[in-house]
């Protein structure tokens, strides 16, 4: 996992400014060893600056490089990967007159930090990203604002290019985003989605998947993490089968698994390696509840013969999903998928939008 922010300087004056910038950003600071004591650091680096920068490039989310742009570019050139994995890189001169967003980063954070730093130093922010220059709404900023996860983030560049060039874009908003979109963006909020022949880029906002999309149409997703999957299973069921059951359940309902916030089950299954493996593969936590907790919300739910037979309780997946979603609404009823039962609930704060 990458660390947050690091400031790297190469000159004495740059190191003095670097200490101020690091304090402002609550970031780490790397300065040459010969200047370390002069700015109150216990130690500094004594290897080539390029080596220090390249190591930081792979270890931090944000780099602030106080040096000439030519030095910064030559230093990072050997380690540049792609826009989805590379960190944000900001370059400043040692007087703080110009703050250049060299790499905005996959969330566009570099542009925001450059603006903030320019205000801090009294300098000028240099932003060259076309969407920012033209004040066009960026999907990464929308995702950040509404707490959504980017699905197929490699399509961010395609969306930005389409918006900048005036190409048709369709947004299927099943979530309720209150934003002003560019003129070439058509917003659809209904339950179904129909595309014109020239509409080849679709942005889906919500946990649903569009139907009938042609193979040459690109689909970019902004997904809320708001679905809790309740799972009941027999002992010893492997994680691959549990994952397969969950994916099948979601595929049959045209939902995205990227919206799964957590898995939930009974504490009797808390140590099942299959459930742990499934949660790990999905990158979500596993919530567990006691039988008395499940029983408190079981009234009105369908009795599970599977749960009664395998665990001696009246049902696991539906009440676990409800409890895991903080008493949200059950949007997917129990389904028995060969020794695995699955149900889905949506977080309580989002359930009203479903009604």
């Amino acid at each position: 996992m990458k660390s947050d922010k690091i400031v790297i300087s190469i000159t004495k004056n740059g190191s003095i400014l670097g200490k101020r910038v690091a304090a402002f950003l609550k970031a780490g600071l790397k300065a040459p060893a010969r200047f370390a004591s002069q700015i109150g650091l216990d130690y500094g680096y004594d290897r080539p600056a390029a080596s220090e920068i390249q190591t930081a490039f792979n270890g931090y989310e944000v780099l602030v490089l106080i040096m000439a742009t030519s030095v910064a570019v030559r230093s990072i050139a050997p380690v540049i990967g792609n826009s989805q994995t590379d960190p944000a890189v900001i370059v400043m001169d040692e007087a703080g007159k110009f703050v250049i967003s060299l790499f905005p980063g996959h969330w566009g954070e570099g542009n925001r930090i450059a603006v903030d730093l320019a205000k801090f130093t009294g300098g000028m922010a240099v932003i060259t990203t076309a969407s920012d220059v033209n004040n066009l709404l960026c999907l990464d900023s929308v995702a950040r604002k509404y707490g959504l996860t980017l699905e197929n983030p490699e399509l961010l560049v395609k969306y930005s290019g389409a918006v900048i060039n005036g190409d048709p874009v369709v947004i299927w908003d099943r979530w309720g985003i209150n934003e002003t979109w560019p003129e070439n963006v058509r917003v659809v909020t209904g339950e179904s989605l129909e595309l014109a022949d020239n509409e080849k880029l679709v942005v889906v906002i919500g946990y649903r998947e569009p139907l009938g999309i042609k193979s040459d149409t690109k689909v970019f997703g902004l997904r809320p993490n708001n679905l809790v999957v309740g799972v009941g299973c027999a002992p010893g069921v492997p994680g691959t089968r549990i994952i397969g059951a969950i994916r099948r359940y979601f595929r049959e309902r045209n939902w995205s698994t990227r919206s799964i916030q957590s898995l939930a089950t009974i504490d009797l299954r808390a140590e099942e390696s299959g459930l742990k493996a499934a949660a790990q593969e999905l990158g979500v936590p596993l919530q567990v509840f006691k039988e008395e907790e499940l029983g408190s919300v079981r009234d009105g739910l369908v009795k599970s013969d599977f749960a009664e037979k395998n665990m001696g309780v009246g049902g696991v997946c539906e009440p676990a999903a409800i409890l895991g979603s903080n008493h949200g609404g059950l949007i997917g009823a129990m389904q028995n998928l060969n020794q695995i039962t699955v149900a889905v609930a949506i977080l309580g704060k989002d359930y009203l939008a479903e009604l």
Side-chain angles (χ1 to χ4, degrees):
M1 173 138 344
K2 290 185 176 182
S3 300
D4 191 16
K5 304 180 185 72
I6 189 69
V7 179
I8 302 177
S9 62
I10 62 173
T11 65
K12 179 179 177 180
N13 287 336
S15 299
I16 294 172
L17 175 61
K19 185 176 182 180
R20 293 175 53 218
V21 168
F24 174 72
L25 294 177
K26 296 181 174 57
L29 173 62
K30 293 182 182 292
R34 65 184 182 278
F35 305 131
S37 61
Q38 299 178 49
I39 60 172
L41 291 181
D42 293 333
Y43 58 88
Y45 65 86
D46 54 10
R47 60 176 175 167
S51 299
E52 199 71 30
I53 292 168
Q54 289 165 16
T55 299
F57 191 90
N58 293 316
Y60 288 86
E61 295 288 348
V62 178
L63 275 65
V64 178
L65 307 180
I66 304 179
M67 59 194 67
T69 304
S70 60
V71 175
V73 170
R74 289 190 178 97
S75 297
I76 66 174
V79 290
I80 292 174
N82 61 70
S83 61
Q84 300 308 312
T85 59
D86 289 342
V89 180
I90 298 98
V91 181
M92 301 176 64
D93 63 273
E94 65 176 32
K97 290 183 179 180
F98 297 100
V99 185
I100 305 168
S101 178
L102 195 62
F103 285 12
H106 67 284
W107 284 100
E109 190 171 12
N111 293 350
R112 297 190 304 278
I113 292 176
V115 171
D116 290 342
L117 283 178
K119 292 178 180 178
F120 174 68
T121 64
M124 176 185 294
V126 180
I127 309 296
T128 58
T129 308
S131 55
D132 287 83
V133 171
N134 292 284
N135 295 315
L136 298 176
L137 190 62
C138 299
L139 290 182
D140 50 359
S141 63
V142 171
R144 185 174 57 257
K145 179 178 179 179
Y146 292 94
L148 304 172
T149 299
L150 298 176
E151 186 177 51
N152 300 326
E154 67 277 5
L155 293 179
L156 267 177
V157 174
K158 189 173 182 65
Y159 167 82
S160 297
V163 169
I164 292 166
N165 295 317
D167 298 330
V169 177
V170 177
I171 291 181
W172 189 40
D173 184 6
R174 298 293 295 159
W175 193 240
I177 300 299
N178 185 22
E179 298 290 347
T180 301
W181 300 96
E183 292 182 359
N184 59 308
V185 174
R186 182 169 71 92
V187 179
V188 179
T189 59
E191 292 188 7
S192 61
L193 176 65
E194 295 184 5
L195 301 176
D197 290 339
N198 67 331
E199 293 175 329
K200 302 297 184 182
L201 179 59
V202 178
V203 178
V204 178
I205 305 178
Y207 63 84
R208 303 177 190 275
E209 299 279 21
L211 297 176
I213 299 297
K214 296 180 180 179
S215 59
D216 61 344
T217 301
K218 303 297 184 182
V219 179
F220 180 89
L222 271 65
R223 306 296 188 182
N225 296 117
N226 65 338
L227 302 183
V228 176
V229 181
V231 181
C233 64
V237 175
T240 53
R241 284 187 51 199
I242 295 175
I243 282 288
I246 293 172
R247 294 194 187 284
R248 173 184 167 184
Y249 189 97
F250 272 64
R251 186 170 58 251
E252 290 176 350
R253 290 158 179 78
N254 301 303
W255 298 344
S256 171
T257 56
R258 291 297 296 271
S259 286
I260 297 176
Q261 185 205 63
S262 63
L263 304 186
T265 192
I266 192 170
D267 61 354
L268 296 174
R269 294 291 184 261
E271 299 304 317
E272 280 291 322
S273 60
L275 272 170
K276 289 183 176 179
Q280 183 176 10
E281 182 170 336
L282 290 168
V284 299
L286 175 64
Q287 301 186 71
V288 296
F289 300 97
K290 297 179 180 179
E291 161 57 16
E292 51 266 34
E293 293 177 292
L294 299 178
S296 68
V297 297
R298 197 175 280 140
D299 289 347
L301 300 178
V302 177
K303 182 179 179 181
S304 171
D305 294 334
F306 173 86
E308 188 169 22
K309 177 181 179 181
N310 285 274
M311 287 168 279
V313 299
V316 170
C317 65
E318 289 190 347
I322 292 172
L323 289 176
S325 64
N326 194 24
H327 294 273
L330 196 67
I331 61 170
M334 179 190 71
Q335 184 174 349
N336 192 331
L337 299 167
N338 190 17
Q339 294 188 305
I340 303 165
T341 58
V342 176
V344 176
I346 190 169
L347 293 185
K349 66 181 180 61
D350 298 326
Y351 185 47
L352 292 178
E354 295 290 310
L355 298 178

